[in-house]
Amino acid sequence: MSLYTIWSIFVYFILIGSSVLIVEEIKFLSVFFSLFSKILFLYVFFKALFHFSFSKFDILIFIFFIFSILNSYVNQMSIIEIIPFFIKTTGLVLFTEQLIKKDTTLTLYSLSFVFSFIIYLNFILLLIYPDGIWINENGGELYFLGGNYNQFGGVIIPALAVNTLYCFHANKGKFNLFLLYPISLLSVLLPGSGSMTSFLCIVLLITYLVFFHPLKIRKWFLILLFSGLILFALTMVFTQSEVVSGSKLQVFIEDVLQKNMTFSGRTVIWMYSLYMISNSFISGYGWVDKDWALENIHELQILLQGGIILGIIFLFLLYTAIRKQKNKIYDSGIRIFLLVVLTIYFLMLQMECYPYQMILFMLLIVFLSNYFFPYKKRRL
């Protein structure tokens, strides 16, 4: 392993680890991660500025966070918490874009190495500390990955996606990939009652890779999955009404997902969020850090923070990533796989609110996927 490879892995561990690991509980790590992230951000930003190599995706991310900062300031919300999000996310995006232009295989290898290490480390810690390593201020369990076990899926799906892409791009890492999938399934089931949403979404991804080989069937799988996402998003607001009472949807929610009809109180939060959004639909309330805002559907979270303006900016980010992928990737199997992963991730976002770094990282992988498979190299 070359020094440059070690350096790339180290940088990714800091950038990704500072976003998904609870390093605040370990003071020296917290300070080091924070300081290194800031230094790296300045380096990659001024490097991109010097070469004027900002992509459309970069510009939209800048707009997304600058609007969030200004909007929070106008609404008298604290902007202190937004700055680290902006630095970590932009640093990760710019570093990945600059590295991938030099060595695509190294980029995928470094990302797969770091994500795999985080998943395995989390699994070992779950075996040693099944009830969490620390206790939060409310007396609940605090895990090293994401804090709450419901956050595991937000890191596991990107980890599985990156490792799958690396396996088919470089034709390496198959043993690690075959080990990572069952470890991921066990990771979301071990703590407490586990996260059934994450478990089912990982099973969906495995099902797609194992059983759906003909291209036409994969397209239908994607269409059905996307239709399910839209249906889920539109019908969840009615979960407390008679529309779903006694229906098959209620059976699915209570027996399969193992949740009550309020989704552990989430529907109350969703209805309250809709009420709040209706009172400030254009620009929202800024970077909301209230506890009730952190249990939201992703779409409601964006509307709360920036209203329809931030929602439109995010849609442009999504469109830019998918449009670039559609124009540049000639292997339809790869294109559909990435869209399936993205749809599964957004399906999970209907139940949990994951860090923006991971959400935007998923869009970045789709945006840069033409580097992974610039021509019809290997059928996925």
Side-chain angles (χ1 to χ4, degrees):
M1 187 180 291
S2 67
L3 288 176
Y4 192 58
T5 302
I6 295 173
W7 167 251
S8 301
I9 291 172
F10 174 75
V11 171
Y12 272 126
F13 180 72
I14 299 297
L15 291 174
I16 296 172
S18 63
S19 301
V20 302
L21 300 177
I22 306 300
V23 295
E24 293 83 1
E25 297 294 327
I26 307 174
K27 296 302 179 183
F28 77 93
L29 271 183
S30 179
V31 173
F32 176 74
F33 276 38
S34 177
L35 182 62
F36 185 88
S37 298
K38 291 179 175 66
I39 294 172
L40 183 73
F41 164 75
L42 291 174
Y43 171 74
V44 294
F45 175 78
F46 283 108
K47 183 179 179 181
L49 187 64
F50 179 78
H51 295 285
F52 201 70
S53 57
F54 295 111
S55 65
K56 292 180 181 179
F57 192 82
D58 303 335
I59 294 171
L60 284 170
I61 285 182
F62 281 123
I63 295 173
F64 182 91
F65 280 105
I66 289 172
F67 173 78
S68 297
I69 292 171
L70 294 176
N71 191 42
S72 298
Y73 178 78
V74 170
N75 284 280
Q76 298 182 338
M77 289 285 184
S78 174
I79 64 172
I80 295 176
E81 293 188 9
I82 313 179
I83 305 300
F85 277 98
F86 171 69
I87 290 173
K88 294 171 188 177
T89 304
T90 310
L92 178 61
V93 170
L94 293 177
F95 178 78
T96 301
E97 288 181 336
Q98 292 171 15
L99 181 62
I100 204 171
K101 292 175 182 177
K102 292 182 178 180
D103 194 329
T104 301
T105 303
L106 173 63
T107 305
L108 272 177
Y109 173 76
S110 301
L111 284 168
S112 63
F113 186 97
V114 170
F115 272 113
S116 298
F117 176 77
I118 290 174
I119 299 304
Y120 293 138
L121 175 62
N122 180 62
F123 181 71
I124 293 171
L125 291 175
L126 283 174
L127 295 177
I128 301 173
Y129 305 102
D131 296 323
I133 303 178
W134 304 287
I135 303 296
N136 61 28
E137 61 272 12
N138 298 319
E141 301 93 348
L142 197 61
Y143 297 92
F144 193 46
L145 178 59
N148 188 290
Y149 65 81
N150 283 325
Q151 294 290 306
F152 292 175
V155 182
I156 287 174
I157 292 297
L160 296 176
V162 165
N163 276 273
T164 303
L165 287 173
Y166 173 68
C167 180
F168 282 89
H169 173 80
N171 198 26
K172 296 178 180 179
K174 292 182 180 180
F175 177 77
N176 177 61
L177 186 66
F178 291 141
L179 182 62
L180 196 62
Y181 273 92
I183 291 296
S184 298
L185 282 172
L186 289 173
S187 296
V188 298
L189 290 178
L190 279 178
S193 58
S195 174
M196 189 55 62
T197 303
S198 297
F199 176 80
L200 289 176
C201 286
I202 296 171
V203 169
L204 271 176
L205 185 57
I206 294 174
T207 303
Y208 171 81
L209 289 172
V210 173
F211 296 107
F212 292 88
H213 291 287
L215 198 58
K216 288 185 178 180
I217 296 180
R218 290 188 172 192
K219 289 180 179 179
W220 277 109
F221 183 92
L222 175 61
I223 292 171
L224 289 173
L225 192 63
F226 182 75
S227 301
L229 169 63
I230 299 300
L231 182 64
F232 189 91
L234 292 177
T235 57
M236 282 308 98
V237 294
F238 301 110
T239 53
Q240 289 178 306
S241 69
E242 295 180 358
V243 175
V244 297
S245 180
S247 67
K248 291 182 179 180
L249 179 58
Q250 181 178 3
V251 174
F252 176 77
I253 293 170
E254 294 182 343
D255 295 345
V256 179
L257 295 182
Q258 297 180 4
K259 299 181 183 292
N260 56 40
M261 288 303 292
T262 66
F263 282 92
S264 304
R266 286 181 177 87
T267 54
V268 178
I269 296 172
W270 298 343
M271 298 304 291
Y272 183 63
S273 297
L274 288 171
Y275 168 75
M276 294 288 291
I277 291 167
S278 67
N279 291 329
S280 185
F281 182 69
I282 302 299
S283 60
Y285 298 90
W287 201 266
V288 182
D289 58 357
K290 302 295 183 183
D291 291 339
W292 56 266
L294 302 178
E295 295 288 343
N296 249 321
I297 296 176
H298 178 63
E299 302 91 281
L300 296 184
Q301 181 77 347
I302 287 181
L303 292 175
L304 270 172
Q305 292 179 341
I308 192 64
I309 296 176
L310 195 64
I312 291 173
I313 296 172
F314 185 82
L315 287 176
F316 269 112
L317 271 167
L318 181 61
Y319 173 79
T320 301
I322 295 176
R323 179 75 175 178
K324 179 74 173 289
Q325 182 226 37
K326 182 180 179 181
N327 290 342
K328 296 295 183 179
I329 296 184
Y330 303 111
D331 191 323
S332 296
I334 302 301
R335 182 186 304 131
I336 294 173
F337 167 74
L338 289 167
L339 292 177
V340 164
V341 171
L342 195 60
T343 305
I344 288 174
Y345 200 74
F346 273 86
L347 184 61
M348 295 169 66
L349 283 170
Q350 304 311 301
M351 298 300 301
E352 303 294 340
C353 197
Y354 298 131
Y356 274 117
Q357 292 97 319
M358 286 296 97
I359 298 171
L360 295 176
F361 174 79
M362 289 294 295
L363 296 183
L364 176 68
I365 292 300
V366 176
F367 179 75
L368 296 177
S369 52
N370 61 296
Y371 285 97
F372 307 147
F373 302 92
Y375 54 89
K376 193 173 181 179
K377 182 178 180 181
R378 188 176 291 110
R379 178 71 66 183
L380 179 61

